[in-house]
Amino acid sequence: MSQPTPQPADDETPSTPRADRRTVLSAAATAALGAALGGASATPTAAAPGAAEPAYAPRRLPATVQSPSHELRALLGEIDRDRIEATVRTLAAFGTRHTLSSQDDPKRGIGAARDWIHAELKTYAARSGGRMTVELQSYVQAPAPRIPVPTRIANVVATLRGSAAPDRVYVVSGHYDSRASDVMDAVSDAPGADDDASGVAVAMELARVMAVRRPAATIVFAAVAGEEQGMFGAAHMAQAFKTAGADVQAMFTADIVGSPTADDGARNPFTVRLFAEGVPTSETPEQAAARRSVGGENDSPSRQLARFVRDVADNDATGMHVRVVYRRDRYLRGGDHIPFLERGFPAARFTEPAEDFAHQHQDVRVVDGKQYGDLPRFCDFGYIARVAKVNGAALWTLAQAPGTPRGAKILAGAPTNATQLVWERGTEADLAGYEVVWRETTAPEWTHVIRVGDVCAHTVDLSKDNVFFGVRAVNRAGQCSPVAFPLPQR
């Protein structure tokens, strides 16, 4: 098998100036860079109620952007808006999917929803040639806040085993439980169309489309229970991965991704929010001390994951802009990615651009002529399909690209104005080499890429005191991993 031609050690992307230790961006250049990489121009302005909606318009992306391949475009083209609508409407028709509702009624309650999801995923797996398996991952939750009696919590999990790197795992989930105004009301109708049949529909549609394909790494598609009562299903799944020593390199939850319409009627149909934490939830005191000494509050694995999503999924193949929010989740709120963060796995949350609280966590009722309740009529199924494309672009590229580099370090033993980086070589058969990336400490995105070839060390003639560095792996097809942020090594 032929080996890739090594790139010159200091070869940068043509659009960037050569780096040296005295490189400093001028105020004008910094302002121009900020305008190009974010700010008000990064996404179209939300259309006012009744106004014509803006069309998707491309924006200038970071130096690390990856163009969608023909393979990826074909995959995304198979995502079916009508199937997504059918999934949302079917789940809403179970009346309530409250975690404490009936487990054995064949037509109403969480048990009926669980069994339908399981049967549907099994039909997808039947087309996979044995590569996809489906299981009910269940346990009995002891009494806890919002769980008054021992209750079965059951996740429905479809696993598409990777063909080349099966031990490397990527997860997408939505939660199939729902709730009414009273979080303990397991009897009243709680259709849960947006929250979160929409996210379940995303995971299920991706399972359907990908079942007939051969990703290099393993992809897990999950519908989890118990989210509204305290993220119990996601915690059980995350702990199962942790106990098994699984190499989960990314987890996404799609939660409340059903509508681009805000509570005032304004629409933003081409934007999805991606919440990604800065300081890691699982950070140890030693890791915190290292972060404080060198910076990195904006460079957690989850932030690198969010940057990766923008690199591969903010484009015309998805028709969407990804608005990264520098928070773990919405203000003082949480979702199913948090149990993964707590166990040290990179994770992030997709959510629609502005929530309408009349259509989530509400009894179905009409007050003064206004309809309340999380009903399918308030969902935009074309929007959900585009969110599915964003998730699909991220997951498929992650699974096909090399894994995130391990052991990335900056050698800091001797004073020098150059920066010495080292990392461990990956084991992928199609690994072509590595790239070093850097940016100003105040920049939100990576602005420079240096191709360094199939090596495990590189020295940049640029001071580590002035910029942030990262390392990413590249395969022979040109697909790149998320960036690894190097730690100091004395």
Side-chain angles (χ1 to χ4, degrees), residues 367-441:
V367 178
D368 296 330
K370 180 179 177 64
Q371 178 71 62
Y372 289 81
D374 192 353
L375 299 163
R377 62 185 273 197
F378 298 115
C379 288
D380 181 327
F381 302 107
Y383 177 80
I384 302 173
R386 290 195 295 277
V387 173
K389 290 183 178 183
V390 170
N391 279 263
L395 285 164
W396 188 254
T397 310
L398 284 165
Q400 296 298 79
T404 305
R406 299 184 185 278
K409 306 282 187 183
I410 289 179
L411 302 183
T416 172
N417 281 318
T419 300
Q420 298 174 280
L421 295 113
V422 298
W423 56 90
E424 300 171 11
R425 190 183 189 280
T427 59
E428 293 87 357
D430 65 342
L431 181 65
Y434 292 87
E435 294 178 340
V436 170
V437 301
W438 65 270
R439 71 180 198 275
E440 292 287 313
T441 62

Side-chain angles (χ1 to χ4, degrees), residues 74-87:
L75 184 156
L76 299 182
E78 294 178 21
I79 291 173
D80 190 326
R81 173 225 177 268
D82 292 341
R83 284 182 174 271
I84 286 172
E85 178 176 359
T87 296

Side-chain angles (χ1 to χ4, degrees), residues 282-299:
S282 63
E283 186 177 68
T284 66
E286 293 76 17
Q287 291 168 335
R291 175 180 51 78
R292 286 193 296 268
S293 70
V294 301
E297 295 82 0
N298 195 18
D299 283 283

Side-chain angles (χ1 to χ4, degrees), residues 213-251:
R213 290 174 162 82
R214 295 177 179 270
T218 295
I219 306 176
V220 175
F221 312 88
V224 302
E227 192 271 350
E228 302 289 8
Q229 307 309 112
M231 299 175 285
F232 288 104
H236 181 71
M237 180 168 61
Q239 187 57 47
F241 282 126
K242 186 74 171 179
T243 300
D247 183 19
V248 178
Q249 294 201 5
M251 182 273 182

